[in-house]
Amino acid sequence: IDLPWRGREVPCAILDIIRGCNARCAFCYNRDSPARKSLDEILNELEVFQRLRNLQAVMVSGGEPLLHPGVLDVIRAVKGKGLVPIVLTNGILIDEKMAGELKAAGCELCFLHIQTGQSRPDVADATDRAEVESLMRRKSEILVRTGIRVGCCVTLRADDKTGIERECAGYFSNRNLSNMLITTARSASDFDAPSCPDMPIDELLARFRRVGLEPFASLSGKIDKTRRRWFSFQVVEARR
């Protein structure tokens, strides 16, 4: 991992609290049967995080974390440890009531994964980019009104030649958004034989620079440090 941090100094952990989702994405890595961790399991994992890392933030993820009945307790627990709670959600369950509850629990940042190609109940036409961008604006406005910062999360195929430019244009046009997370897709069924190729790091850097962005860190693919790409849905195992 080529990041500005090493070992204990890694500032953010991802806490997966549930399997199962109320949406379906083209490159979904979460096709397991629905299951959720108990609050005791989650609190134990938070303790492990803090024992191994000098954390600043924890991203609560899944599956769709808002489907977990104890998600607000999880956020309160993260906040109670002096950490910044972040939620990665598809936004389907985000409304004024949920946003208010997330804010009251201590959530400071929500990443919304809303993009074309998803199968979800709040979008009639998954290929209609205007409809998807409108949904992102509506959901992000709800969160911003409650005082929660909002980021967007998108997954791109390596052979999507205009993807980064297109998604960055959407990001910059939505003034509700303060963060963006871009991942490059891998096969959901076979990580060793992906359905689309890895994106070469030099090409990816060039694409970001064309829209005026300068990335500062990268990840290597699996264990082969010569096959470099940006972010991956594969797990990077943390060791002492």
Side-chain angles (χ1 to χ4, degrees), residues 14 19 23 25 33 36 55-56 59 61 80 94 101 126-127 137-138 153 178 182 187 201 217-218 223 233:
I14 299 177
R19 299 284 83 197
C25 301
S33 299
R36 61 177 183 260
L55 292 180
Q56 299 173 18
M59 178 183 284
S61 181
I94 294 291
E101 291 176 344
T127 66
R137 287 192 178 88
R138 294 196 304 274
C153 172
S178 60
I182 295 179
S187 168
I201 192 68
S218 63
I223 203 127
F233 279 147

Side-chain angles (χ1 to χ4, degrees), residues 62 71 74 84 93 96 105 114 127-128 133-134 144 150 156 168 171 180 204 210 213 215 218-219 235 237 239:
V71 63
V74 174
V84 174
L93 297 179
E96 298 286 353
I114 299 173
T127 66
D128 188 334
E133 288 188 348
S134 175
V144 167
V150 186
L156 302 176
C168 285
Y171 167 77
M180 178 168 56
L204 191 53
R210 282 199 291 270
L213 298 176
S218 63
L219 300 182
V235 173
E237 184 175 0
R239 300 178 184 270

Side-chain angles (χ1 to χ4, degrees), residues 65-128:
L66 299 188
L67 291 174
H68 195 297
V71 63
L72 298 177
D73 291 327
V74 174
I75 295 170
R76 281 189 282 266
V78 173
K79 186 74 171 180
K81 290 181 176 293
L83 303 171
V84 174
I86 303 169
V87 174
L88 174 58
T89 172
N90 59 36
I92 290 173
L93 297 179
I94 294 291
D95 55 17
E96 298 286 353
K97 180 176 182 294
M98 175 60 76
E101 291 176 344
L102 289 172
K103 177 64 176 177
C107 178
E108 297 188 29
L109 170 63
C110 269
F111 276 96
L112 294 175
H113 184 197
I114 299 173
Q115 70 176 92
T116 55
Q118 289 177 315
S119 174
R120 46 189 300 147
D122 49 2
V123 171
D125 183 356
T127 66
D128 188 334

Side-chain angles (χ1 to χ4, degrees), residues 39-71:
L39 188 57
D40 285 343
E41 287 179 281
I42 294 167
L43 294 177
N44 179 66
E45 290 181 356
L46 279 174
E47 291 178 2
V48 172
F49 286 168
Q50 288 199 293
R51 189 165 68 247
L52 298 178
R53 298 286 185 265
N54 297 326
L55 292 180
Q56 299 173 18
V58 171
M59 178 183 284
V60 180
S61 181
E64 172 48 50
L66 299 188
L67 291 174
H68 195 297
V71 63

